[in-house]
Amino acid sequence: MPVKHDLLQDLGLRKETVDARRAKNPHLNALFDKYKAVDELVVTAEKAAGSDEELKRLKENRLSVKDEIRKLLA
C-alpha cells in the first residue's frame, strides 16, 4: 500500500524548527514544496501500478530533493 513519506521524521527534525528555517530561506521553502509534490507523484504512481522505470525515476528524484534539503539544514 502506497504511503506518503514523513520528511520531518526522516530528517529527525521538529516542525517548528523547520518552519522557522523555511521562513528565512526561500530556496529551502521551495525545496520542501517540491519534495511534497514529488512524493505525491510517487504515491500516485504506486497506486496506479505504472511502469517500474517511471516509479524508479520519481523515487530517485524524491531522494535527490531530500538530499538537497538535508544539506541546507546541516
Side-chain angles (χ1 to χ4, degrees), residues 18-32 72-73:
V18 172
D19 286 348
R21 299 277 302 268
R22 287 179 72 174
K24 293 178 184 177
N25 186 332
H27 180 62
L28 180 62
N29 189 51
L31 285 172
F32 268 91
L72 284 174
L73 290 173

Side-chain angles (χ1 to χ4, degrees), residues 4 7-8 10 21 24 29 37 44 49-50 54 59 66:
K4 287 186 166 200
L7 181 57
L8 296 179
D10 286 352
R21 299 277 302 268
K24 293 178 184 177
N29 189 51
T44 300
E54 177 67 11
K59 287 182 175 184
K66 181 179 174 180

Side-chain angles (χ1 to χ4, degrees), residues 21-66:
R21 299 277 302 268
R22 287 179 72 174
K24 293 178 184 177
N25 186 332
H27 180 62
L28 180 62
N29 189 51
L31 285 172
F32 268 91
D33 291 343
K34 183 176 180 178
Y35 182 89
K36 180 181 176 186
V38 173
D39 189 47
E40 289 174 2
L41 290 173
V42 170
V43 170
T44 300
E46 288 174 337
K47 287 179 184 176
S51 78
D52 289 340
E53 285 301 314
E54 177 67 11
L55 185 57
K56 180 181 176 187
R57 185 188 65 74
L58 288 169
K59 287 182 175 184
E60 288 172 350
N61 189 8
R62 178 176 64 186
L63 183 59
S64 174
V65 175
K66 181 179 174 180

